[in-house]
Amino acid sequence: MAGVSERFVRFVEQGKQSVRLDTLLALLDTLGLELQLATRTSAAARALVTQPPVTQPPSAVPPSDALPEAAPLEGDGPSARENQP
């Protein structure tokens, strides 16, 4: 009636982690059910926050103190100020 295979129904019943959403919705519609999404509970959100942060590999960009000093922009140096009245 839903146009899905028995195998697909077994996958849903067994909690298979990846199924096509459109096929699942067709099955639920045939059964008179609907899929509802909700925000995570506060306990689940706290569990995400308490996980250690993912470390990033060192950047290929050298630290700012290792960069050569930039030349002053035109009009920024003392000579430009000296010429002003």
Side-chain angles (χ1 to χ4, degrees), residues 15-55:
K16 183 176 179 193
Q17 292 184 1
S18 62
V19 294
R20 290 188 47 130
L21 182 59
D22 59 338
T23 310
L24 176 62
L25 291 174
L27 176 61
L28 293 175
D29 187 52
T30 302
L31 296 172
L33 302 171
E34 66 180 23
L35 178 65
Q36 293 185 352
L37 302 177
T39 58
R40 294 178 183 254
T41 64
S42 57
R46 279 194 301 276
L48 289 174
V49 172
T50 59
Q51 292 179 354
V54 176
T55 57

Side-chain angles (χ1 to χ4, degrees), residues 57-67:
S59 175
V61 178
S64 61
D65 59 346
L67 294 176

